[in-house]
Amino acid sequence: MPTLLYAVARNPALPPELLGQLIDRLPAADEELACALAERTDLDPGQVRLLAERFEDAAVRLAERGLLPVGDVDPLARPRVALVLLDEGRGDPAWARLFARDPDELVRERLASAVGLPDEVADLLAVDESDDVVAVLGHCTGRPDLLARLAVHPAAQVRRAAAANEATPAELLTALLDDPEVMVREQAAAHPTTPGSAAARLVGDHMMIRQALATHPGLPAGTYRRLAGDEIPWVRSNLARNPGIDAALMSRLAEDDGYDVRRSLAHNPAIPFDLLARLAAAVRIGSTLLPRIAAATPAELRALAAVPEPRVRVLVAEHRALPTDLRDRLAADPDASVVKSVAPHPGLSGAQLATALNRFGTKVATAVTRNPGTPTALLDRIATTPPTPVKALRTLAAHPNASPAALTACLASPDHRTAEAAAANPALPVAVMAELATR
């Protein structure tokens, strides 16, 4: 079971002797296992050096984690590793000048995305023969003077990159609104720094531009109203998520039956609670913490939790920082969907979780296994009481309170994700780890 071997390699409780054996016996072609081992926090310097010398992908990951000393890296032999160190500000600046002339275009692309490039290196990349390299620079550079040059570059992909860069000044973005290429105008229209009064003139432009424009947070109210009547549902859907629209326009969009418009409106962080309650009763929102709920005050949460419609209470139950009394009230809710949403809340007691399971069984079993405080006995009960939902067993396999017996059973699951989660769980018996590690 090679996939379980990779999971064991990630297990934080893997004994040092087994870890040493895995590293010593690593096949030369098993880069995946080497990368799994490179994620560990208990590697000694010798093991770090050995993994880095034998496996380039593992060396890249070790460099990203700050475990690989700069002196151990040869930039000519391992350019990918050296580029990681450069991006973290730990590499030799001379490497950047070396890579700027590297014949491998992918190396130059990766260099162009590095943070804190020396000016002379950025200037060299700005005139690179590859438009792909220059476009990466356009996405990543923070230099206004360089962005001004790239905004008039002959390649549309470079101008588009400049239009998407967070550091691009407003005056450049305004100029890019007149670009002959749709994709460039699309990026400039969506950029929050583009003046809204300037971007508004694209309201009658191509569909893709209108979709982008609908996300802009600072358009005139009249432009938003015009976009609300757009014939393309995706334009209206983007608009519905925009916190810049007013309550009257939100009410209008709440009646829009175009694809995903009302669901998008529910995710608007500025939506009024009465409108959100209406949408919850009419649209399948799913198990998610909505932005407006996340920002609600305790008083607002209490008011929503008192609404008779259970789909509204479900939204509140997704909040993980509820007042204790409100959390307990929702845990005792008569509706299974509400209890399912609140069950993963870390403040619930084992007794409350057991009561939820007694009342609703498999409807809430997966949610109960997602609670970090679920007691071992309750997890064992879920694992041994058929039918156990696949998702419940999968979450249980990764739970910190899972028993060795439950984990051993999970290893035999036909669901590979369940077995892998069990193999990576620190509570897995050492003897079982040893067996998996030596297969």
Side-chain angles (χ1 to χ4, degrees), residues 42 53 88 95 109 114 127 151 172 189 202 321 323-324 328 330 368 427:
D42 55 353
E53 286 174 353
E88 295 177 344
W95 295 351
E109 277 190 40
V127 293
L172 285 181
L202 299 184
T324 302
D328 292 348
L330 292 170
V368 170

Side-chain angles (χ1 to χ4, degrees), residues 204-412:
D205 209 320
H206 189 278
M207 174 194 73
M208 291 175 58
I209 294 174
R210 301 198 310 274
Q211 284 183 243
L213 188 63
T215 68
H216 194 290
L219 298 178
T223 304
Y224 285 139
R225 287 194 295 272
R226 184 169 171 184
L227 290 168
D230 198 282
E231 63 180 355
I232 304 298
W234 291 278
V235 174
R236 306 195 305 274
S237 178
N238 282 359
L239 182 67
R241 286 181 182 260
N242 192 328
I245 63 177
D246 59 27
L249 198 52
M250 289 186 198
S251 293
R252 175 179 170 184
L253 291 169
E255 304 301 325
D256 193 313
D257 60 359
Y259 177 75
D260 216 34
V261 175
R262 289 182 291 177
R263 191 193 313 273
S264 294
L265 182 60
H267 288 264
N268 191 309
I271 186 171
F273 279 119
D274 60 339
L275 194 55
L276 181 57
R278 280 172 48 198
L279 287 173
V283 180
R284 187 176 177 84
I285 295 174
S287 300
T288 184
L289 178 59
L290 296 176
R292 187 64 186 91
I293 297 294
T297 66
E300 290 171 332
L301 292 171
R302 292 180 199 281
L304 280 176
V307 172
E309 170 56 59
R311 285 170 289 188
V312 176
R313 302 198 301 278
V314 162
L315 301 181
V316 180
E318 288 292 333
H319 202 297
R320 294 295 173 258
L322 294 170
T324 302
D325 65 309
L326 180 54
R327 178 204 66 204
D328 292 348
R329 192 168 92 207
L330 292 170
D333 197 277
D335 191 277
S337 62
V338 177
V339 177
K340 176 183 175 182
S341 290
V342 79
H345 195 293
L348 291 174
S349 68
Q352 288 173 307
L353 294 170
T355 298
L357 194 63
N358 290 338
R359 293 168 63 207
F360 298 113
T362 56
K363 290 181 180 179
V364 301
T366 301
V368 170
T369 62
R370 288 172 53 209
N371 191 305
T374 301
T376 299
L378 197 55
L379 293 173
D380 284 347
R381 174 182 158 190
I382 292 172
T384 58
T385 305
T388 304
V390 172
K391 289 184 178 179
L393 201 61
R394 187 182 298 162
T395 311
L396 187 155
H399 201 285
N401 294 337
S403 69
L407 292 175
T408 303
C410 287
L411 288 174

